[in-house]
């Protein structure tokens, strides 16, 4: 059986989040070919790793998180970790950790006929601890 959304659980700063509708995260590393004699690379080097993430939450979940802010701005909440746990039927649990996260954005967008508000929030983070075997 492959993973599905019901297998994914998220926690922000140690608190389980149920009002989440999506999470996206990745890291990119600079990798550069190095050339010498001839037309083809003779080796490569690796540089910086840059992590990025985005989380989608119901407005009510954001308001609950916002209450932790000293001034009501979620961007002013101290850095926190987001734990993403994969719990498939196989019972083999995998956990990724998004480290030192901060909210970069906070917004709302309503239009006629909307029955709920899902907000996409960009995150700043230092790095990702990917699940190990």
């Amino acid at each position: 059986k492959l993973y599905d959304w019901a297998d994914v659980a998220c926690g922000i700063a140690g608190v389980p989040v149920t009002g989440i509708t999506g999470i996206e995260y990745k890291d990119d590393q600079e990798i550069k070919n190095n050339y010498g004699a001839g037309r083809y690379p003779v080796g490569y080097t690796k540089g910086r790793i840059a992590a990025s993430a985005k989380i989608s939450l119901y407005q009510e979940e954001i308001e609950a998180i916002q209450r932790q802010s000293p001034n009501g701005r979620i961007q002013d909440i101290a850095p926190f970790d987001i734990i993403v746990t994969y719990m498939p039927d196989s019972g083999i649990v995998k956990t990724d950790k998004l480290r030192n996260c901060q909210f970069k954005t906070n917004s709302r967008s309503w239009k006629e006929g909307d029955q709920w508000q899902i907000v996409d929030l960009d995150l700043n983070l230092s790095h990702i601890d990917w699940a190990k075997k």
Side-chain angles (χ1 to χ4, degrees), residues 31-73:
I31 299 176
K32 188 171 234 171
N33 285 331
N34 302 111
Y35 293 85
R39 294 186 177 131
Y40 299 103
V42 296
Y44 66 92
T45 55
K46 290 185 174 186
R48 294 180 174 159
I49 298 172
S52 62
K54 179 170 61 171
I55 192 167
S56 300
L57 302 166
Y58 285 109
Q59 180 175 333
E60 292 79 3
E61 191 75 49
I62 294 170
E63 290 170 357
I65 293 168
Q66 221 165 303
R67 287 194 284 277
Q68 305 307 311
S69 172
N71 60 10
R73 295 185 75 244

Side-chain angles (χ1 to χ4, degrees), residues 12 15 17 57-78 80 103 105-108 117 119 121:
I12 295 179
V15 178
V17 179
L57 302 166
Y58 285 109
Q59 180 175 333
E60 292 79 3
E61 191 75 49
I62 294 170
E63 290 170 357
I65 293 168
Q66 221 165 303
R67 287 194 284 277
Q68 305 307 311
S69 172
N71 60 10
R73 295 185 75 244
I74 61 173
Q75 295 93 328
D76 292 334
I77 295 173
F80 52 90
F103 292 107
T105 58
N106 190 6
S107 65
R108 306 292 186 274
Q117 173 71 220
V119 181
L121 301 172

Side-chain angles (χ1 to χ4, degrees), residues 14-26:
V15 178
V17 179
T18 57
I20 183 171
T21 61
I23 187 162
E24 179 181 328
Y25 53 98
K26 68 177 183 173

